[in-house]
Amino acid sequence: MKAHLISIGTELTTGQVVDTNAAWLAARLTERGVEVAGKTTLPDELHPLVENVKRIAAECDLVILSGGLGPTDDDLTRSALAEALGVALVTDAASLENLRRFFRVRNREMAPSNAVQAMRPEGSRPIENPCGTAPGIHVRVGSAEVFALPGVPREMRRMFEADVAPRIAASGGGRSVVSMSLHTFGCTESELGERVKDLMKRGRNPTVGTTATEGVISLRLHAAGESPEAAGALLDRDVAELEKRLGRRIFGRDGETMEAVVARLLIEQAATVATAESCTGGLVAKRLTDVPGSSAYLVQGVVSYANEAKTRLLGVPAALIETHGAVSREVAEAMAVGARTRAGTDYALSLTGIAGPSGGTKEKPVGLVYLGLAYEGGVKVSEIRCGRHQPRDEIRARAATAALNLLRLKLLVRS
Amino acid sequence: MKAHLISIGTELTTGQVVDTNAAWLAARLTERGVEVAGKTTLPDELHPLVENVKRIAAECDLVILSGGLGPTDDDLTRSALAEALGVALVTDAASLENLRRFFRVRNREMAPSNAVQAMRPEGSRPIENPCGTAPGIHVRVGSAEVFALPGVPREMRRMFEADVAPRIAASGGGRSVVSMSLHTFGCTESELGERVKDLMKRGRNPTVGTTATEGVISLRLHAAGESPEAAGALLDRDVAELEKRLGRRIFGRDGETMEAVVARLLIEQAATVATAESCTGGLVAKRLTDVPGSSAYLVQGVVSYANEAKTRLLGVPAALIETHGAVSREVAEAMAVGARTRAGTDYALSLTGIAGPSGGTKEKPVGLVYLGLAYEGGVKVSEIRCGRHQPRDEIRARAATAALNLLRLKLLVRS
């Protein structure tokens, strides 16, 4: 099965926006054994879109368009498909009703221009959009299946998974490819590379590659086989080997986040947590509450940004801050203990550090963060140094992940 | 002058790598008044590359290829250009000498395979690569100027600036184009479209388009003119008109975030703020501290996730929560007032709502969030409904932006 992706939008051809949709779709198709023969990006203009749809549909089995389904005059995908097919646009009654309901439940007036989003080329099938106003369109152009999805990444992804992916699977295109990602924390990309060098050799099956984001190094595995079972067996062998070599450095798999893993462990152990943050400004609490059901374990969080806030909200003695500085082991420890005592939780995490870009000194450079973990009967402080040339958001993200990882390792000892 | 970009590499068509080269080149060309008619991404395969080069060169004045100039067997740009032109590949003596020097000054052995990088189609001109081994190729295909550059972003960018850009300028093809984005909050994309419909008409100069992300609707403007001044004057006229029509719905321009604008206003007015968050779990504090220098205005934040935490940290009476529920106007008001009083700040923001996916009821559905703003002499509560099908992260992001926007509007009244 051969596919071609078409991304539509003048914001893409003028370079204002980097096209992440096409890369995401290409990865999903490749995983499913579909060959992506090419990707085309076009501006919001009718004629080139019509011509490209006709030409590309004649060369491929599967065409996925993204973008151009909004309510404004520069959204031309509907018209282009109709023109490429030589048919009229018709209003889809069910889509129109969905649109009206979308606005009704939000207590908002539907602008007249929105009604155009319920139109589709005659003979096409609408694709439901569960989180936006623009339904997608599925239509056959010559011998190619053509799917038009919105450009909003969240909507496009959900509609691909719910509607397009099952149809590709049902058509049985492609060899079986199974994939997995393993996420690690606590070693660098090159340290990891040294440990698993032999598995990363080119031409091996499975392929093993690494990507790094904010201190998390992920291993991406793709195994190919004649059947899903054959590919899965190859994949399982490599995963077992990697788990043996990397141990608790691996914290999750397939998009699982550090906070999701910590949340699962906290819930399994019916344990509660509080946070006390300075340099991360609420990021640890925010990530702990990214997980649905977080009220089961997060009791409270404190962003003790000013020194007085550390004293007022956590009981850190002003003299301690005076003596050691707000960014110190001692203050991190007192913050964690104060947070745990005041919230009455099983655990408390604290962070104090220098996120930059200014505020660093020779002894305490930008990127230095102290992490505290208080638990029944003790408190532990770790120090991380992210490197003083790292940007503020990178330092904050790494520090938050490192703090959550401290708690994870503690919970693993208990489990 | 009409251009088309071709990105070459199987890592792009399999989605392993996001193509940032094409976006970068598109932005540079757009700035120079060159219209990017499209972008094409192709795998490392000879035949499709030859066919696409022929077709695209016949449709455009300028074609820029990136990738496929390395020393390995899957680097096919040289051969594809030669085949498209029907000429042979010849070795360029100067390029070969450059290559040898590149390795010599690094004390490295040149692999025999590297010599292929000194080859170019007969009749073409090599483009010097000051920071890598692969020279580029400049050749005329039909009436189109074709430039082939390496895929390594650093090398591609330097060679574009040093060699391609001056030739575009010399050909006088480039009109001047100036761009701007205006970011709005508080109305939907279609409401905005209704208000500025006439300015968004196709074929106008400047062009005006919209994009939406987490409740922020951005207007993208591009003005073209004979000189940067002429284009700038056209742009300014439209910006003034948009500001007149949209007023304070516009909060920033050119990538400015809501939190950066709020931070600037707080600093200008030497005002301080505290936060009290429930459903957003620290996101508002996190965003306020994304801005360097945030200790000037953020005194403290509280994530009062459990009901007891609302009472303990903010003094919200337990009876009030009991009577009205934690997600209510009354509790939002008490949270904001409690946060302001306890922190001793000029302002305090509070948020309490249902981020989902569960926990919604008929009267209080997922997506309902109450936002409180306490200030000297008063407190104001707003209600937003994001729609119960929105995902948790979208609801939280919109609620955080809406809360920051409340504070912005208040600060604007004072300024």
Side-chain angles (χ1 to χ4, degrees):
Chain A
M1 192 186 262
K2 238 166 105 171
H4 197 109
L5 306 174
I6 304 180
S7 303
I8 301 148
T10 301
E11 74 277 18
L12 300 172
T13 55
T14 55
Q16 290 184 288
V17 170
V18 173
D19 184 8
T20 54
N21 277 354
W24 187 89
L25 281 168
R28 295 299 82 72
L29 292 173
T30 302
E31 283 166 13
R32 286 167 173 81
V34 177
E35 180 197 340
V36 178
K39 302 193 281 192
T40 298
T41 310
L42 297 168
D44 296 312
E45 279 170 38
L46 190 63
H47 181 70
L49 187 49
V50 173
E51 291 309 306
N52 275 280
V53 166
K54 283 191 200 165
R55 178 178 58 78
I56 290 166
E59 293 170 357
C60 287
D61 312 300
L62 172 67
V63 182
I64 303 181
L65 296 91
S66 63
L69 290 177
T72 53
D73 289 348
D74 60 356
D75 290 300
L76 299 163
T77 300
R78 281 175 291 266
S79 308
L81 286 177
E83 197 166 322
L85 288 160
V87 300
L89 280 172
V90 295
T91 295
D92 187 77
S95 296
L96 188 60
E97 183 40 38
N98 279 342
L99 262 175
R100 292 209 169 110
R101 193 172 51 235
F102 181 92
F103 285 93
R104 204 162 49 231
V105 300
R106 286 164 180 77
N107 283 324
R108 274 157 45 190
E109 194 84 31
M110 183 172 118
S113 60
N114 275 108
V116 76
Q117 295 190 293
M119 300 194 83
R120 56 178 175 78
E122 216 168 352
S124 67
R125 178 180 71 84
I127 303 174
E128 203 194 337
N129 181 344
C131 45
T133 59
I137 297 167
H138 173 200
V139 69
R140 217 178 159 81
V141 178
S143 63
E145 299 292 339
V146 177
F147 295 87
L149 304 177
V152 180
R154 198 169 45 87
E155 299 177 14
M156 181 280 287
R157 292 177 185 197
R158 277 195 49 181
M159 290 162 75
F160 176 84
E161 298 285 7
D163 191 289
V164 184
R167 277 165 209 273
I168 293 170
S171 77
R175 256 199 344 150
S176 293
V177 175
V178 293
S179 307
M180 186 181 286
S181 292
L182 296 177
H183 309 298
T184 74
F185 191 81
C187 55
T188 66
E189 196 165 5
S190 42
E191 282 163 14
L192 201 77
E194 292 292 318
R195 281 175 194 274
V196 301
K197 212 179 180 135
D198 52 323
L199 303 181
M200 291 180 70
K201 241 188 280 168
R202 296 187 66 76
R204 257 189 99 245
N205 177 26
T207 62
V208 179
T210 60
T211 45
T213 331
E214 296 173 346
V216 172
I217 318 292
S218 301
L219 292 150
R220 292 173 288 97
L221 292 88
H222 295 282
E226 288 311 311
S227 66
E229 293 70 30
L234 281 172
L235 187 80
D236 290 346
R237 208 187 49 194
D238 264 24
V239 168
E241 182 61 28
L242 286 166
E243 284 177 336
K244 205 174 84 190
R245 294 194 198 175
L246 300 172
R248 287 184 172 174
R249 289 181 194 85
I250 298 175
F251 66 83
R253 49 170 71 175
D254 288 338
E256 217 176 3
T257 60
M258 183 67 85
E259 49 271 25
V261 173
V262 169
R264 197 185 61 225
L265 290 167
L266 285 167
I267 288 170
E268 278 171 14
Q269 301 180 26
T272 56
V273 66
T275 60
E277 304 181 59
S278 185
C279 59
T280 43
L283 179 56
V284 174
K286 185 260 172 193
R287 286 179 53 186
L288 280 168
T289 58
D290 278 342
V291 187
S294 47
S295 54
Y297 52 84
L298 183 75
V299 171
Q300 69 184 43
V302 149
V303 182
S304 51
Y305 220 56
N307 285 347
E308 312 80 68
K310 293 183 182 64
T311 305
R312 185 166 49 227
L313 293 168
L314 301 165
V316 180
L320 192 77
I321 300 175
E322 179 90 13
T323 311
H324 300 284
V327 178
S328 61
R329 281 189 171 275
E330 291 77 6
V331 169
E333 183 174 318
M335 285 171 68
V337 171
R340 181 172 175 271
T341 313
R342 297 208 170 189
T345 49
D346 298 307
Y347 300 97
L349 285 172
S350 70
L351 301 94
T352 179
I354 301 157
S358 63
T361 62
K362 198 146 186 208
E363 296 89 64
K364 295 187 178 175
V366 167
L368 171 68
V369 183
Y370 293 101
L371 314 168
L373 170 64
Y375 45 90
E376 194 183 340
V379 56
K380 178 182 158 53
V381 178
S382 296
E383 173 188 312
I384 61 168
R385 287 172 187 264
C386 297
R388 70 200 155 84
H389 297 295
Q390 292 286 351
R392 183 175 174 86
D393 56 350
E394 176 85 18
I395 291 169
R396 294 180 1 129
R398 283 191 192 206
T401 306
L404 292 169
N405 194 44
L406 265 192
L407 179 54
R408 178 182 71 97
L409 294 172
K410 185 79 186 170
L411 290 164
L412 284 178
V413 172
R414 299 268 160 126
S415 69
Chain B
M1 192 186 261
K2 235 165 107 172
H4 196 110
L5 306 173
I6 304 180
S7 303
I8 301 147
T10 301
E11 73 279 15
L12 301 171
T13 55
T14 55
Q16 290 184 286
V17 170
V18 174
D19 184 8
T20 55
N21 278 353
W24 186 89
L25 281 168
R28 296 299 82 71
L29 292 173
T30 302
E31 281 165 14
R32 286 166 173 82
V34 177
E35 179 197 341
V36 179
K39 303 192 281 193
T40 299
T41 310
L42 297 168
D44 296 313
E45 279 171 39
L46 189 62
H47 181 69
L49 186 49
V50 173
E51 291 308 307
N52 275 279
V53 166
K54 283 193 203 167
R55 178 178 57 80
I56 290 167
E59 293 169 358
C60 287
D61 311 302
L62 172 66
V63 181
I64 304 181
L65 297 90
S66 63
L69 290 176
T72 55
D73 290 348
D74 59 359
D75 289 301
L76 299 163
T77 300
R78 281 175 292 267
S79 308
L81 286 176
E83 196 166 323
L85 288 159
V87 301
L89 280 172
V90 295
T91 295
D92 186 79
S95 295
L96 187 60
E97 182 41 37
N98 278 343
L99 261 176
R100 290 207 170 110
R101 195 173 50 235
F102 181 93
F103 285 94
R104 204 163 47 232
V105 301
R106 285 164 181 76
N107 283 322
R108 274 158 47 192
E109 193 84 32
M110 184 172 116
S113 61
N114 277 105
V116 78
Q117 295 190 291
M119 301 194 83
R120 56 178 175 78
E122 216 168 351
S124 66
R125 178 180 71 84
I127 303 173
E128 203 193 335
N129 181 343
C131 46
T133 58
I137 297 167
H138 174 198
V139 70
R140 217 177 159 81
V141 179
S143 63
E145 299 292 339
V146 177
F147 294 87
L149 303 176
V152 181
R154 196 167 48 89
E155 300 177 15
M156 182 279 288
R157 292 177 185 199
R158 280 202 40 186
M159 291 162 75
F160 176 85
E161 298 285 8
D163 191 289
V164 184
R167 278 164 207 274
I168 292 171
S171 77
R175 288 218 294 165
S176 293
V177 175
V178 293
S179 306
M180 187 181 286
S181 292
L182 297 177
H183 308 298
T184 75
F185 190 80
C187 54
T188 66
E189 192 166 6
S190 39
E191 282 162 15
L192 201 77
E194 297 285 323
R195 280 175 194 273
V196 301
K197 210 178 177 131
D198 52 324
L199 304 180
M200 290 180 73
K201 239 190 275 162
R202 305 192 63 73
R204 253 188 102 247
N205 177 25
T207 62
V208 180
T210 60
T211 44
T213 333
E214 295 174 346
V216 172
I217 317 292
S218 302
L219 291 151
R220 293 172 287 100
L221 291 88
H222 294 281
E226 290 310 313
S227 67
E229 293 71 30
L234 280 173
L235 187 81
D236 289 347
R237 208 187 50 193
D238 263 26
V239 168
E241 181 61 28
L242 286 166
E243 284 177 336
K244 206 174 83 189
R245 295 196 198 173
L246 301 172
R248 290 184 169 174
R249 288 181 192 88
I250 298 175
F251 67 83
R253 50 171 70 176
D254 288 338
E256 220 176 0
T257 60
M258 180 68 84
E259 48 271 26
V261 174
V262 169
R264 198 187 59 226
L265 291 167
L266 285 168
I267 288 170
E268 278 171 15
Q269 302 181 27
T272 55
V273 65
T275 60
E277 304 180 59
S278 186
C279 60
T280 43
L283 179 56
V284 174
K286 186 259 170 192
R287 286 180 53 186
L288 280 168
T289 57
D290 279 342
V291 186
S294 48
S295 53
Y297 52 83
L298 183 75
V299 172
Q300 69 185 44
V302 148
V303 182
S304 51
Y305 219 57
N307 286 347
E308 310 81 67
K310 293 184 182 66
T311 304
R312 185 166 50 226
L313 293 168
L314 301 165
V316 180
L320 193 78
I321 301 174
E322 179 90 13
T323 311
H324 301 283
V327 178
S328 61
R329 283 191 169 273
E330 291 77 7
V331 169
E333 183 175 317
M335 285 171 69
V337 171
R340 181 171 175 272
T341 312
R342 298 209 169 188
T345 49
D346 299 306
Y347 300 97
L349 285 172
S350 70
L351 300 94
T352 178
I354 301 156
S358 62
T361 62
K362 193 137 195 223
E363 296 90 65
K364 296 188 179 175
V366 166
L368 170 68
V369 183
Y370 292 100
L371 314 169
L373 170 64
Y375 45 90
E376 193 182 343
V379 56
K380 179 181 156 53
V381 178
S382 295
E383 173 187 312
I384 60 168
R385 287 172 187 263
C386 298
R388 69 198 155 83
H389 297 296
Q390 292 287 348
R392 183 175 174 87
D393 55 351
E394 176 85 16
I395 290 169
R396 294 182 359 131
R398 284 191 189 205
T401 306
L404 292 169
N405 194 45
L406 264 191
L407 179 54
R408 178 182 72 94
L409 293 172
K410 186 79 188 170
L411 290 165
L412 284 178
V413 173
R414 300 269 160 125
S415 69

